[in-house]
Amino acid sequence: EVETAVSAEELAEVGKVIRSAPKGFTIHPKLDKYLEQRLEMSLGKRAIDYGTAEALAFGSLLRQGTPVRLAGQDCRRGTFSHRHSTLYDYKTGEAYVPLQHVSAKQAAFNVYDSVLSEAAAVGFEYGYSRDYPETLVCWEAQFGDFANGAQIIIDQFISAGEDKWGLLSGLVMLLPHGYEGQGPEHTSARIERYLQLAGEDNMQICQPSTAGQYFHLLRRQALQSWRKPLIVFTPKSMLRAAAACSQLSDLTQGKFQNLMPDSAVTDATRILLCSGKIAHELTAERQKRKDTTTAILRLEQMYPFPEEELQAELARHPNASTIIWVQEEPANMGPLFFVRPIIERLASGRKVTTVRRSASGSPATGSAAAHALEQQALL
C-alpha cells in the first residue's frame, strides 16, 4: 500500500494551473466556462468529476517528480470531451498544454493523439512502459472495444510478458465501458477477456465507480514500488453524472477501495454485488422503492479479487440470505463467469444467484429503444 491522498493546498495549486492559459490566449467560450468549473472543483466549491479528478492526479504526480505519458485516438480532447489536456487558441489554433506548467521542477507530461491502429499504438506504449518504468504510461481506447485491434499485444505481452520472460510493465489501458444504448460497437470493452487472462497476479483489472476512486487508482499505479499492467474500465455517462462525482475530501484522504461497502444499509436481507455504472442505477432504483433492506456492494477491483474485503462485508449482514451478482453484460460476457465461483466459495452456504441480460452473440442490441427496455427489466 502507498499513500495516495493529496493535500487540499496542493490540489488547489494544480487546479489553478489547469485553469490557466498564456496571456492573449483565446479559449473557446464554452470551454472557458467548464475550465472555471474545474477550478471550483479543485478548490472544493463544486463536486469533482472524472476529468478533473484525472487532471488533479496527473498534476500532483508531475509535481512529485513522476513523468506522465498519455496516448490514444482522441485523448488530448478526450472522446467524450472530458479531458481537454491540450487547449487550442480559438482564433489562431495555437496549442497549449497546462499540465506542462505545473511547477518549475516538475516531471515531463506528454500527450499524443495516436493513429487508429491499435496493435501498433498499444505495442509502442507497452515498449515505452518497459524502458521507462518510472513513468505513468497510459493508452486510451476511443471506445473500449477498440482494444480488439490490439488483442495480440494483450495476449502475448501485457498478460504474459512477466511469466514468459520476466519482463515487468506498468502500462495502463483506459477502456471506456458501459451500456448506454449506443449500440454493440460502442458498448463493451470485453471485461471477460481480461479476466480470462488473469492469473498469478499478472495484472490489475479495475472499474472505479467514482471520480475519487479513479484519482486514487492512478496515483496508486504510479507510486507503488512494483509494476503490473493496469486495465481500467472507464465510464462514459458517469463522466459527468452527479452520483459518480466526488468531494474534495475524497481526494485529500483515504485510498483506492478494492470493494466499496454500502453505508446506507446496516442490516440487509439481500446483498447485490456489482461493478461500474449499474451500481448507481441500482442505488437510484432502491431509493425510488424506499427499500431499506437491500445492500449494494461495488466491486471496484475485479482482479486480484478482494476476498478479505468481501468476506468482511458479508459478515456485516448476517441476516442476508441471498447474494445476487448484477451486471449489464449478457450472461456469456462480463465478469459473471469469473466472479460467481469466488462469491459462492465465500458465501458460507448462502444462496448465490445472478441478474444479467440473456446470452447474446453481440455485446449489445443495436436499438436504443430495445436497450432501454432491457435496462429497465434488469433493474
Side-chain angles (χ1 to χ4, degrees), residues 49-110:
D49 63 16
Y50 267 82
T52 305
E54 181 188 78
L56 293 173
F58 287 164
S60 59
L61 287 170
L62 295 168
R63 284 170 61 99
Q64 289 178 254
T66 299
V68 176
R69 174 183 170 87
L70 178 64
Q73 287 134 2
D74 193 12
C75 69
R76 282 188 289 191
R77 180 196 67 164
T79 297
F80 311 101
S81 296
H82 64 284
R83 180 169 291 122
H84 301 294
S85 63
T86 303
L87 306 179
Y88 295 93
D89 189 294
Y90 187 45
K91 295 179 179 177
T92 68
E94 178 189 357
Y96 178 74
V97 182
L99 285 174
Q100 292 178 347
H101 306 273
V102 176
S103 68
K105 297 182 179 180
Q106 73 169 80
F109 176 73
N110 294 299

Short mmCIF file of all heavy atoms in Angstrom, two decimals, residues 49-110:
data_model
loop_
_atom_site.label_atom_id
_atom_site.label_comp_id
_atom_site.label_asym_id
_atom_site.label_seq_id
_atom_site.Cartn_x
_atom_site.Cartn_y
_atom_site.Cartn_z
N ASP A 49 -15.64 15.96 -10.95
CA ASP A 49 -15.98 14.95 -11.95
C ASP A 49 -14.72 14.17 -12.37
O ASP A 49 -13.61 14.46 -11.93
CB ASP A 49 -16.69 15.57 -13.16
CG ASP A 49 -15.82 16.57 -13.92
OD1 ASP A 49 -14.59 16.59 -13.74
OD2 ASP A 49 -16.38 17.35 -14.73
N TYR A 50 -14.92 13.17 -13.24
CA TYR A 50 -13.81 12.28 -13.61
C TYR A 50 -12.66 13.01 -14.29
O TYR A 50 -11.49 12.78 -13.98
CB TYR A 50 -14.33 11.18 -14.55
CG TYR A 50 -14.76 9.91 -13.85
CD1 TYR A 50 -16.01 9.83 -13.26
CD2 TYR A 50 -13.93 8.81 -13.79
CE1 TYR A 50 -16.42 8.68 -12.62
CE2 TYR A 50 -14.33 7.65 -13.15
CZ TYR A 50 -15.57 7.58 -12.57
OH TYR A 50 -15.97 6.45 -11.92
N GLY A 51 -12.99 13.88 -15.25
CA GLY A 51 -11.95 14.58 -15.99
C GLY A 51 -11.08 15.42 -15.08
O GLY A 51 -9.85 15.46 -15.23
N THR A 52 -11.70 16.09 -14.12
CA THR A 52 -10.95 16.92 -13.19
C THR A 52 -10.14 16.06 -12.22
O THR A 52 -8.99 16.38 -11.91
CB THR A 52 -11.91 17.84 -12.42
OG1 THR A 52 -12.68 18.60 -13.35
CG2 THR A 52 -11.16 18.77 -11.50
N ALA A 53 -10.73 14.95 -11.77
CA ALA A 53 -10.00 14.04 -10.87
C ALA A 53 -8.74 13.50 -11.56
O ALA A 53 -7.68 13.40 -10.94
CB ALA A 53 -10.91 12.88 -10.45
N GLU A 54 -8.87 13.18 -12.84
CA GLU A 54 -7.72 12.69 -13.59
C GLU A 54 -6.65 13.77 -13.70
O GLU A 54 -5.45 13.51 -13.49
CB GLU A 54 -8.15 12.23 -14.97
CG GLU A 54 -7.01 11.67 -15.82
CD GLU A 54 -7.46 11.41 -17.25
OE1 GLU A 54 -7.56 12.39 -18.03
OE2 GLU A 54 -7.68 10.24 -17.60
N ALA A 55 -7.06 14.99 -14.06
CA ALA A 55 -6.10 16.09 -14.20
C ALA A 55 -5.39 16.37 -12.87
O ALA A 55 -4.18 16.65 -12.85
CB ALA A 55 -6.82 17.34 -14.70
N LEU A 56 -6.12 16.29 -11.77
CA LEU A 56 -5.52 16.50 -10.45
C LEU A 56 -4.56 15.38 -10.10
O LEU A 56 -3.50 15.62 -9.49
CB LEU A 56 -6.61 16.64 -9.39
CG LEU A 56 -7.50 17.89 -9.49
CD1 LEU A 56 -8.64 17.81 -8.48
CD2 LEU A 56 -6.68 19.16 -9.29
N ALA A 57 -4.90 14.15 -10.49
CA ALA A 57 -3.99 13.02 -10.25
C ALA A 57 -2.71 13.21 -11.05
O ALA A 57 -1.59 13.06 -10.52
CB ALA A 57 -4.67 11.70 -10.63
N PHE A 58 -2.85 13.52 -12.34
CA PHE A 58 -1.68 13.73 -13.19
C PHE A 58 -0.83 14.89 -12.66
O PHE A 58 0.39 14.79 -12.53
CB PHE A 58 -2.10 14.03 -14.63
CG PHE A 58 -2.62 12.84 -15.39
CD1 PHE A 58 -3.34 13.01 -16.57
CD2 PHE A 58 -2.40 11.55 -14.95
CE1 PHE A 58 -3.81 11.93 -17.29
CE2 PHE A 58 -2.88 10.44 -15.66
CZ PHE A 58 -3.60 10.64 -16.84
N GLY A 59 -1.48 16.01 -12.36
CA GLY A 59 -0.75 17.19 -11.92
C GLY A 59 0.01 16.97 -10.62
O GLY A 59 1.16 17.40 -10.48
N SER A 60 -0.62 16.28 -9.67
CA SER A 60 0.04 16.02 -8.39
C SER A 60 1.22 15.07 -8.58
O SER A 60 2.25 15.21 -7.91
CB SER A 60 -0.96 15.45 -7.39
OG SER A 60 -1.54 14.24 -7.86
N LEU A 61 1.10 14.11 -9.49
CA LEU A 61 2.22 13.20 -9.77
C LEU A 61 3.38 13.95 -10.41
O LEU A 61 4.54 13.72 -10.08
CB LEU A 61 1.76 12.06 -10.68
CG LEU A 61 0.86 11.00 -10.04
CD1 LEU A 61 0.27 10.08 -11.10
CD2 LEU A 61 1.64 10.18 -9.01
N LEU A 62 3.07 14.85 -11.34
CA LEU A 62 4.11 15.63 -12.00
C LEU A 62 4.87 16.48 -10.99
O LEU A 62 6.10 16.60 -11.06
CB LEU A 62 3.49 16.52 -13.08
CG LEU A 62 2.84 15.79 -14.26
CD1 LEU A 62 2.01 16.75 -15.10
CD2 LEU A 62 3.90 15.11 -15.13
N ARG A 63 4.16 17.04 -10.05
CA ARG A 63 4.80 17.85 -9.00
C ARG A 63 5.70 17.00 -8.12
O ARG A 63 6.70 17.49 -7.59
CB ARG A 63 3.74 18.55 -8.14
CG ARG A 63 3.09 19.76 -8.81
CD ARG A 63 1.89 20.24 -8.02
NE ARG A 63 2.25 20.66 -6.66
CZ ARG A 63 2.43 21.92 -6.30
NH1 ARG A 63 2.30 22.90 -7.19
NH2 ARG A 63 2.73 22.22 -5.06
N GLN A 64 5.34 15.72 -7.97
CA GLN A 64 6.15 14.81 -7.15
C GLN A 64 7.33 14.21 -7.92
O GLN A 64 8.09 13.45 -7.35
CB GLN A 64 5.28 13.67 -6.62
CG GLN A 64 4.29 14.08 -5.56
CD GLN A 64 3.42 12.92 -5.09
OE1 GLN A 64 2.25 12.84 -5.42
NE2 GLN A 64 3.99 12.01 -4.32
N GLY A 65 7.43 14.50 -9.21
CA GLY A 65 8.55 14.00 -9.99
C GLY A 65 8.27 12.77 -10.80
O GLY A 65 9.20 12.16 -11.35
N THR A 66 7.01 12.37 -10.94
CA THR A 66 6.64 11.21 -11.75
C THR A 66 6.22 11.66 -13.14
O THR A 66 5.22 12.37 -13.28
CB THR A 66 5.48 10.43 -11.10
OG1 THR A 66 5.88 9.95 -9.81
CG2 THR A 66 5.08 9.24 -11.97
N PRO A 67 6.96 11.27 -14.19
CA PRO A 67 6.54 11.63 -15.55
C PRO A 67 5.23 10.94 -15.92
O PRO A 67 4.95 9.82 -15.45
CB PRO A 67 7.69 11.11 -16.43
CG PRO A 67 8.83 10.84 -15.50
CD PRO A 67 8.21 10.49 -14.18
N VAL A 68 4.43 11.58 -16.74
CA VAL A 68 3.15 11.03 -17.18
C VAL A 68 3.10 11.10 -18.71
O VAL A 68 3.41 12.13 -19.30
CB VAL A 68 1.95 11.80 -16.58
CG1 VAL A 68 0.63 11.26 -17.13
CG2 VAL A 68 1.97 11.73 -15.06
N ARG A 69 2.73 9.97 -19.31
CA ARG A 69 2.60 9.90 -20.76
C ARG A 69 1.21 9.33 -21.08
O ARG A 69 0.81 8.30 -20.53
CB ARG A 69 3.68 8.99 -21.35
CG ARG A 69 3.55 8.74 -22.85
CD ARG A 69 4.62 7.77 -23.34
NE ARG A 69 4.34 7.35 -24.71
CZ ARG A 69 4.72 8.00 -25.80
NH1 ARG A 69 5.43 9.11 -25.67
NH2 ARG A 69 4.42 7.57 -27.00
N LEU A 70 0.50 10.01 -21.97
CA LEU A 70 -0.86 9.60 -22.34
C LEU A 70 -0.98 9.60 -23.85
O LEU A 70 -0.63 10.58 -24.51
CB LEU A 70 -1.87 10.57 -21.72
CG LEU A 70 -3.35 10.36 -22.02
CD1 LEU A 70 -3.84 9.03 -21.46
CD2 LEU A 70 -4.18 11.51 -21.44
N ALA A 71 -1.43 8.48 -24.41
CA ALA A 71 -1.62 8.38 -25.86
C ALA A 71 -2.93 7.66 -26.14
O ALA A 71 -3.40 6.85 -25.34
CB ALA A 71 -0.46 7.62 -26.51
N GLY A 72 -3.52 7.97 -27.29
CA GLY A 72 -4.79 7.34 -27.67
C GLY A 72 -5.40 8.07 -28.84
O GLY A 72 -4.92 9.13 -29.25
N GLN A 73 -6.50 7.53 -29.34
CA GLN A 73 -7.02 8.01 -30.61
C GLN A 73 -7.61 9.42 -30.55
O GLN A 73 -7.64 10.12 -31.55
CB GLN A 73 -8.06 7.01 -31.13
CG GLN A 73 -7.40 5.74 -31.63
CD GLN A 73 -8.09 4.47 -31.12
OE1 GLN A 73 -9.09 4.52 -30.43
NE2 GLN A 73 -7.54 3.33 -31.47
N ASP A 74 -8.06 9.83 -29.39
CA ASP A 74 -8.64 11.17 -29.26
C ASP A 74 -8.40 11.67 -27.85
O ASP A 74 -9.27 12.29 -27.25
CB ASP A 74 -10.14 11.12 -29.58
CG ASP A 74 -10.76 12.50 -29.78
OD1 ASP A 74 -10.00 13.48 -29.89
OD2 ASP A 74 -11.99 12.60 -29.81
N CYS A 75 -7.21 11.37 -27.31
CA CYS A 75 -7.05 11.54 -25.87
C CYS A 75 -6.66 12.96 -25.46
O CYS A 75 -6.81 13.30 -24.29
CB CYS A 75 -6.08 10.52 -25.29
SG CYS A 75 -4.39 10.76 -25.78
N ARG A 76 -6.22 13.79 -26.38
CA ARG A 76 -5.92 15.17 -25.97
C ARG A 76 -7.21 15.88 -25.56
O ARG A 76 -7.26 16.52 -24.52
CB ARG A 76 -5.21 15.92 -27.09
CG ARG A 76 -3.74 15.55 -27.20
CD ARG A 76 -2.99 16.42 -28.17
NE ARG A 76 -3.35 16.15 -29.55
CZ ARG A 76 -2.69 16.62 -30.61
NH1 ARG A 76 -1.63 17.39 -30.43
NH2 ARG A 76 -3.08 16.33 -31.83
N ARG A 77 -8.22 15.78 -26.37
CA ARG A 77 -9.54 16.33 -26.02
C ARG A 77 -10.28 15.38 -25.09
O ARG A 77 -10.96 15.80 -24.15
CB ARG A 77 -10.37 16.56 -27.28
CG ARG A 77 -11.76 17.14 -27.00
CD ARG A 77 -12.69 17.00 -28.17
NE ARG A 77 -13.02 15.61 -28.44
CZ ARG A 77 -14.03 15.21 -29.20
NH1 ARG A 77 -14.80 16.10 -29.78
NH2 ARG A 77 -14.26 13.93 -29.40
N GLY A 78 -10.15 14.08 -25.34
CA GLY A 78 -10.98 13.08 -24.68
C GLY A 78 -12.16 12.78 -25.57
O GLY A 78 -12.84 13.72 -26.03
N THR A 79 -12.43 11.50 -25.86
CA THR A 79 -13.50 11.12 -26.77
C THR A 79 -14.83 11.77 -26.39
O THR A 79 -15.63 12.14 -27.24
CB THR A 79 -13.66 9.59 -26.79
OG1 THR A 79 -12.45 9.02 -27.30
CG2 THR A 79 -14.82 9.16 -27.66
N PHE A 80 -15.05 11.91 -25.09
CA PHE A 80 -16.34 12.44 -24.61
C PHE A 80 -16.20 13.89 -24.14
O PHE A 80 -16.95 14.34 -23.28
CB PHE A 80 -16.87 11.53 -23.50
CG PHE A 80 -16.85 10.08 -23.89
CD1 PHE A 80 -15.84 9.24 -23.43
CD2 PHE A 80 -17.80 9.55 -24.74
CE1 PHE A 80 -15.79 7.91 -23.81
CE2 PHE A 80 -17.76 8.22 -25.13
CZ PHE A 80 -16.75 7.40 -24.67
N SER A 81 -15.21 14.59 -24.71
CA SER A 81 -14.94 16.00 -24.38
C SER A 81 -14.78 16.19 -22.87
O SER A 81 -15.27 17.18 -22.30
CB SER A 81 -16.06 16.91 -24.91
OG SER A 81 -16.09 16.86 -26.32
N HIS A 82 -14.10 15.25 -22.25
CA HIS A 82 -14.00 15.28 -20.79
C HIS A 82 -12.60 15.63 -20.28
O HIS A 82 -12.42 15.86 -19.09
CB HIS A 82 -14.39 13.91 -20.22
CG HIS A 82 -13.47 12.80 -20.64
ND1 HIS A 82 -13.50 12.26 -21.90
CD2 HIS A 82 -12.50 12.14 -19.98
CE1 HIS A 82 -12.59 11.30 -22.00
NE2 HIS A 82 -11.96 11.22 -20.85
N ARG A 83 -11.59 15.64 -21.18
CA ARG A 83 -10.21 15.79 -20.69
C ARG A 83 -9.66 17.19 -20.96
O ARG A 83 -9.20 17.85 -20.04
CB ARG A 83 -9.32 14.73 -21.34
CG ARG A 83 -7.86 14.82 -20.90
CD ARG A 83 -7.06 13.61 -21.35
NE ARG A 83 -7.48 12.41 -20.63
CZ ARG A 83 -7.94 11.31 -21.21
NH1 ARG A 83 -8.02 11.26 -22.54
NH2 ARG A 83 -8.30 10.27 -20.50
N HIS A 84 -9.61 17.60 -22.20
CA HIS A 84 -9.08 18.91 -22.59
C HIS A 84 -7.67 19.13 -22.03
O HIS A 84 -7.36 20.17 -21.44
CB HIS A 84 -10.01 20.04 -22.14
CG HIS A 84 -11.39 19.94 -22.71
ND1 HIS A 84 -11.65 20.08 -24.06
CD2 HIS A 84 -12.60 19.66 -22.13
CE1 HIS A 84 -12.94 19.92 -24.28
NE2 HIS A 84 -13.54 19.66 -23.14
N SER A 85 -6.82 18.11 -22.22
CA SER A 85 -5.43 18.24 -21.76
C SER A 85 -4.64 19.21 -22.61
O SER A 85 -3.64 19.76 -22.17
CB SER A 85 -4.75 16.87 -21.78
OG SER A 85 -4.68 16.37 -23.12
N THR A 86 -5.09 19.43 -23.85
CA THR A 86 -4.47 20.40 -24.75
C THR A 86 -5.51 21.43 -25.14
O THR A 86 -6.58 21.09 -25.63
CB THR A 86 -3.91 19.72 -26.01
OG1 THR A 86 -2.98 18.70 -25.63
CG2 THR A 86 -3.22 20.71 -26.92
N LEU A 87 -5.19 22.69 -24.91
CA LEU A 87 -6.09 23.78 -25.28
C LEU A 87 -5.63 24.38 -26.61
O LEU A 87 -4.44 24.41 -26.91
CB LEU A 87 -6.09 24.86 -24.20
CG LEU A 87 -6.39 24.41 -22.76
CD1 LEU A 87 -6.31 25.60 -21.81
CD2 LEU A 87 -7.75 23.73 -22.68
N TYR A 88 -6.59 24.84 -27.39
CA TYR A 88 -6.27 25.46 -28.68
C TYR A 88 -6.85 26.87 -28.71
O TYR A 88 -8.02 27.08 -28.37
CB TYR A 88 -6.84 24.63 -29.83
CG TYR A 88 -6.20 23.27 -29.94
CD1 TYR A 88 -6.78 22.16 -29.31
CD2 TYR A 88 -5.01 23.08 -30.64
CE1 TYR A 88 -6.18 20.91 -29.37
CE2 TYR A 88 -4.41 21.83 -30.71
CZ TYR A 88 -5.00 20.76 -30.08
OH TYR A 88 -4.40 19.51 -30.15
N ASP A 89 -5.99 27.80 -29.11
CA ASP A 89 -6.44 29.18 -29.23
C ASP A 89 -7.60 29.26 -30.22
O ASP A 89 -7.50 28.79 -31.35
CB ASP A 89 -5.29 30.07 -29.69
CG ASP A 89 -5.64 31.54 -29.61
OD1 ASP A 89 -6.53 31.99 -30.37
OD2 ASP A 89 -5.02 32.26 -28.80
N TYR A 90 -8.70 29.86 -29.78
CA TYR A 90 -9.93 29.91 -30.57
C TYR A 90 -9.75 30.69 -31.88
O TYR A 90 -10.45 30.47 -32.85
CB TYR A 90 -11.02 30.56 -29.70
CG TYR A 90 -12.41 30.56 -30.28
CD1 TYR A 90 -12.95 29.42 -30.88
CD2 TYR A 90 -13.21 31.69 -30.20
CE1 TYR A 90 -14.23 29.43 -31.39
CE2 TYR A 90 -14.50 31.71 -30.69
CZ TYR A 90 -15.00 30.57 -31.30
OH TYR A 90 -16.26 30.56 -31.81
N LYS A 91 -8.76 31.58 -31.91
CA LYS A 91 -8.54 32.42 -33.08
C LYS A 91 -7.37 31.96 -33.94
O LYS A 91 -7.43 32.01 -35.17
CB LYS A 91 -8.31 33.86 -32.63
CG LYS A 91 -9.52 34.50 -31.96
CD LYS A 91 -9.23 35.92 -31.52
CE LYS A 91 -10.46 36.55 -30.86
NZ LYS A 91 -10.17 37.92 -30.36
N THR A 92 -6.28 31.49 -33.30
CA THR A 92 -5.06 31.16 -34.05
C THR A 92 -4.81 29.67 -34.21
O THR A 92 -4.01 29.27 -35.06
CB THR A 92 -3.84 31.78 -33.37
OG1 THR A 92 -3.63 31.11 -32.09
CG2 THR A 92 -4.03 33.26 -33.13
N GLY A 93 -5.45 28.85 -33.38
CA GLY A 93 -5.21 27.41 -33.43
C GLY A 93 -3.96 26.99 -32.68
O GLY A 93 -3.61 25.80 -32.66
N GLU A 94 -3.29 27.91 -32.03
CA GLU A 94 -2.08 27.60 -31.26
C GLU A 94 -2.41 26.65 -30.10
O GLU A 94 -3.45 26.80 -29.45
CB GLU A 94 -1.47 28.89 -30.70
CG GLU A 94 -0.24 28.69 -29.84
CD GLU A 94 0.19 29.97 -29.14
OE1 GLU A 94 -0.44 31.03 -29.39
OE2 GLU A 94 1.13 29.91 -28.34
N ALA A 95 -1.54 25.67 -29.86
CA ALA A 95 -1.77 24.67 -28.81
C ALA A 95 -1.07 25.07 -27.51
O ALA A 95 0.01 25.67 -27.52
CB ALA A 95 -1.27 23.31 -29.26
N TYR A 96 -1.70 24.73 -26.38
CA TYR A 96 -1.13 24.97 -25.05
C TYR A 96 -1.52 23.81 -24.14
O TYR A 96 -2.69 23.42 -24.09
CB TYR A 96 -1.63 26.30 -24.48
CG TYR A 96 -1.12 26.59 -23.09
CD1 TYR A 96 0.19 26.99 -22.87
CD2 TYR A 96 -1.97 26.47 -21.98
CE1 TYR A 96 0.67 27.25 -21.60
CE2 TYR A 96 -1.51 26.74 -20.70
CZ TYR A 96 -0.18 27.13 -20.51
OH TYR A 96 0.28 27.39 -19.25
N VAL A 97 -0.55 23.25 -23.43
CA VAL A 97 -0.78 22.11 -22.53
C VAL A 97 -0.56 22.55 -21.09
O VAL A 97 0.59 22.66 -20.64
CB VAL A 97 0.15 20.93 -22.88
CG1 VAL A 97 -0.15 19.72 -21.97
CG2 VAL A 97 0.00 20.53 -24.35
N PRO A 98 -1.63 22.84 -20.34
CA PRO A 98 -1.48 23.36 -18.98
C PRO A 98 -0.63 22.48 -18.07
O PRO A 98 0.17 22.99 -17.26
CB PRO A 98 -2.93 23.44 -18.48
CG PRO A 98 -3.74 23.64 -19.72
CD PRO A 98 -3.05 22.81 -20.76
N LEU A 99 -0.77 21.15 -18.16
CA LEU A 99 -0.05 20.26 -17.25
C LEU A 99 1.46 20.23 -17.51
O LEU A 99 2.20 19.61 -16.74
CB LEU A 99 -0.62 18.84 -17.33
CG LEU A 99 -1.97 18.65 -16.64
CD1 LEU A 99 -2.52 17.25 -16.89
CD2 LEU A 99 -1.87 18.90 -15.13
N GLN A 100 1.91 20.90 -18.54
CA GLN A 100 3.35 21.06 -18.74
C GLN A 100 3.89 22.27 -17.99
O GLN A 100 5.08 22.59 -18.09
CB GLN A 100 3.66 21.19 -20.24
CG GLN A 100 3.41 19.90 -21.02
CD GLN A 100 3.67 20.04 -22.50
OE1 GLN A 100 3.82 21.15 -23.02
NE2 GLN A 100 3.73 18.90 -23.20
N HIS A 101 3.01 22.92 -17.22
CA HIS A 101 3.39 24.14 -16.50
C HIS A 101 2.94 24.08 -15.04
O HIS A 101 2.57 25.10 -14.46
CB HIS A 101 2.78 25.36 -17.20
CG HIS A 101 3.13 25.44 -18.66
ND1 HIS A 101 4.28 26.04 -19.13
CD2 HIS A 101 2.49 24.95 -19.75
CE1 HIS A 101 4.33 25.94 -20.45
NE2 HIS A 101 3.26 25.29 -20.85
N VAL A 102 2.99 22.90 -14.45
CA VAL A 102 2.50 22.72 -13.07
C VAL A 102 3.48 23.33 -12.07
O VAL A 102 3.06 23.96 -11.09
CB VAL A 102 2.27 21.22 -12.77
CG1 VAL A 102 1.86 21.02 -11.32
CG2 VAL A 102 1.21 20.66 -13.70
N SER A 103 4.78 23.14 -12.27
CA SER A 103 5.79 23.72 -11.38
C SER A 103 7.12 23.78 -12.11
O SER A 103 7.31 23.11 -13.14
CB SER A 103 5.93 22.90 -10.09
OG SER A 103 6.49 21.63 -10.36
N ALA A 104 8.03 24.54 -11.55
CA ALA A 104 9.33 24.75 -12.22
C ALA A 104 10.14 23.47 -12.32
O ALA A 104 10.88 23.27 -13.29
CB ALA A 104 10.11 25.83 -11.47
N LYS A 105 10.02 22.59 -11.33
CA LYS A 105 10.83 21.37 -11.29
C LYS A 105 10.00 20.12 -11.56
O LYS A 105 10.38 19.01 -11.16
CB LYS A 105 11.52 21.26 -9.94
CG LYS A 105 12.50 22.38 -9.65
CD LYS A 105 13.19 22.18 -8.31
CE LYS A 105 14.19 23.31 -8.04
NZ LYS A 105 14.86 23.14 -6.73
N GLN A 106 8.89 20.26 -12.23
CA GLN A 106 8.00 19.13 -12.47
C GLN A 106 8.62 18.10 -13.42
O GLN A 106 9.56 18.40 -14.17
CB GLN A 106 6.68 19.62 -13.05
CG GLN A 106 6.81 20.07 -14.52
CD GLN A 106 5.45 20.31 -15.15
OE1 GLN A 106 4.86 21.36 -14.95
NE2 GLN A 106 4.96 19.35 -15.91
N ALA A 107 8.05 16.89 -13.43
CA ALA A 107 8.43 15.87 -14.40
C ALA A 107 7.71 16.15 -15.72
O ALA A 107 6.82 16.99 -15.81
CB ALA A 107 8.05 14.48 -13.87
N ALA A 108 8.11 15.41 -16.75
CA ALA A 108 7.57 15.63 -18.09
C ALA A 108 6.14 15.11 -18.22
O ALA A 108 5.81 14.04 -17.70
CB ALA A 108 8.46 14.95 -19.12
N PHE A 109 5.31 15.89 -18.93
CA PHE A 109 3.96 15.43 -19.29
C PHE A 109 3.84 15.46 -20.80
O PHE A 109 4.03 16.51 -21.43
CB PHE A 109 2.89 16.34 -18.67
CG PHE A 109 1.49 15.98 -19.09
CD1 PHE A 109 0.87 14.84 -18.59
CD2 PHE A 109 0.79 16.76 -20.00
CE1 PHE A 109 -0.41 14.48 -18.98
CE2 PHE A 109 -0.50 16.43 -20.40
CZ PHE A 109 -1.10 15.28 -19.88
N ASN A 110 3.56 14.31 -21.40
CA ASN A 110 3.41 14.21 -22.85
C ASN A 110 2.08 13.56 -23.17
O ASN A 110 1.72 12.53 -22.59
CB ASN A 110 4.54 13.39 -23.46
CG ASN A 110 5.89 14.08 -23.31
OD1 ASN A 110 6.08 15.17 -23.83
ND2 ASN A 110 6.82 13.45 -22.60
#
